[in-house]
Amino acid sequence: MSTRMELAAAVFAVLGLAAQALPGLAAGPIRIDFTDETVGAEPKSLVPVVGTWRIEEDNGKKLLTVDGRQWKEGQASAGIADKARALYGERYAEFLDRVQAYAYYPYAVAPKIDNFSGGEISVRFEGLSGRIDQGAGILFNLKPNGDYLTVRANCLEDNVVLWKFEKGKRSAVKWVRNTPTPTRQWHELKVRINGAKVEGYLDGKLYLEHTLAQPVSGRIGLWSKADSHMYFTDYTVAATTD
């Protein structure tokens, strides 16, 4: 435990640097474009929890990649225990238990934003490869126990889905078909949250609308699935203010 605590302290320091690089939500929209990241390394502006996430360069622009080409079920990201502690402090063990149940689904968490309850989250993505899936999702409502929601698009299936992950089980909340999402083309996914109301947009078009049982509140990030190999860029968060 002492070694783990020492490693957690180091992760806290890294997350602290990442947080300093991001403005507070009250100051206006946060846009993460990975310009200051290191090619070949894990991102600092988002914390990988499950899967292989790294910075790559394409046509002179730095991008975030989730690389599922060597994906194995049950494989969490490197140093997951320490990352969990950095995100959730003393509740990290509870969070970690749930992460193992979700290891089929890669995701990374924005460390600066500990509670997003309303506004817009958007990201641009490109599907590169994946025989099982080419999924790009926006993660939100992430709780310390590991429960979360995600709105995701899929280049292989041409659909947009609102998924719920609760107590180690995944279930579809809302499923919308016939949403053209060609592979090897850039697309924009956007989620708009207003209390318990969720809207999902793909390439500027509103496809998904749903009202949850409870208002949204929790951490946010990016999400993918299985063997998906995807590019992400221009992750933008614009929170509503009262």
Side-chain angles (χ1 to χ4, degrees):
M1 180 62 72
S2 59
T3 301
R4 182 174 290 178
M5 291 179 67
E6 289 172 0
L7 289 172
V11 174
F12 268 118
V14 172
L15 290 178
L17 292 175
Q20 292 172 20
L22 297 176
L25 285 173
I30 292 174
R31 181 173 177 270
I32 302 174
D33 62 6
F34 312 111
T35 300
D36 297 327
E37 298 275 14
T38 302
V39 174
E42 279 196 343
K44 295 181 179 179
S45 48
L46 290 167
V47 178
V49 174
V50 176
T52 302
W53 299 80
R54 64 174 176 271
I55 302 299
E56 293 188 1
E57 191 169 31
D58 183 60
N59 293 322
K61 182 173 183 178
K62 292 180 182 179
L63 306 165
L64 177 62
T65 303
V66 60
D67 189 349
R69 288 176 293 181
Q70 295 181 334
W71 166 81
K72 295 179 181 179
E73 186 172 0
Q75 183 179 35
S77 293
I80 180 57
D82 306 306
K83 291 173 181 175
R85 190 177 182 91
L87 288 169
Y88 284 111
E90 294 304 319
R91 295 192 67 177
Y92 83 101
E94 180 183 6
F95 178 75
L96 189 61
D97 287 343
R98 292 292 173 84
V99 165
Q100 301 307 320
Y102 297 154
Y104 189 73
Y105 310 103
Y107 69 90
V109 178
K112 173 65 176 179
I113 305 165
D114 58 5
N115 186 28
F116 177 89
S117 58
E120 294 184 356
I121 309 168
S122 63
V123 69
R124 294 179 63 234
F125 70 91
E126 179 183 8
L128 302 175
S129 67
R131 297 181 62 187
I132 299 173
D133 276 282
Q134 291 181 31
I138 293 173
L139 177 107
F140 60 101
N141 209 50
L142 177 63
K143 306 298 187 183
N145 68 357
D147 292 350
Y148 65 82
L149 296 165
T150 183
V151 170
R152 77 100 179 96
N154 193 310
C155 298
L156 294 184
E157 300 175 6
D158 288 339
N159 53 40
V160 173
V161 183
L162 171 60
W163 291 109
K164 175 176 67 173
F165 295 79
E166 189 174 65
K167 297 179 180 179
K169 295 182 179 181
R170 180 184 75 151
S171 59
V173 178
K174 187 71 174 287
W175 195 297
V176 180
R177 294 174 172 82
N178 301 317
T179 62
T181 321
T183 298
R184 292 284 180 174
Q185 292 184 24
W186 282 99
H187 304 279
E188 183 190 55
L189 183 66
K190 181 172 72 175
V191 173
R192 179 177 291 164
I193 306 294
N194 183 6
K197 185 178 180 180
V198 178
E199 296 179 346
Y201 296 77
L202 179 64
D203 293 332
K205 181 177 179 179
L206 174 62
Y207 280 104
L208 185 149
E209 295 182 271
H210 183 77
T211 300
L212 302 165
Q214 300 291 333
V216 167
S217 177
R219 289 188 175 274
I220 62 174
L222 289 174
W223 182 96
S224 190
K225 184 181 176 184
D227 68 338
S228 301
H229 184 203
M230 315 291 292
Y231 275 155
F232 294 94
T233 191
D234 299 333
Y235 185 78
T236 303
V237 183
T240 54
T241 56
D242 296 329

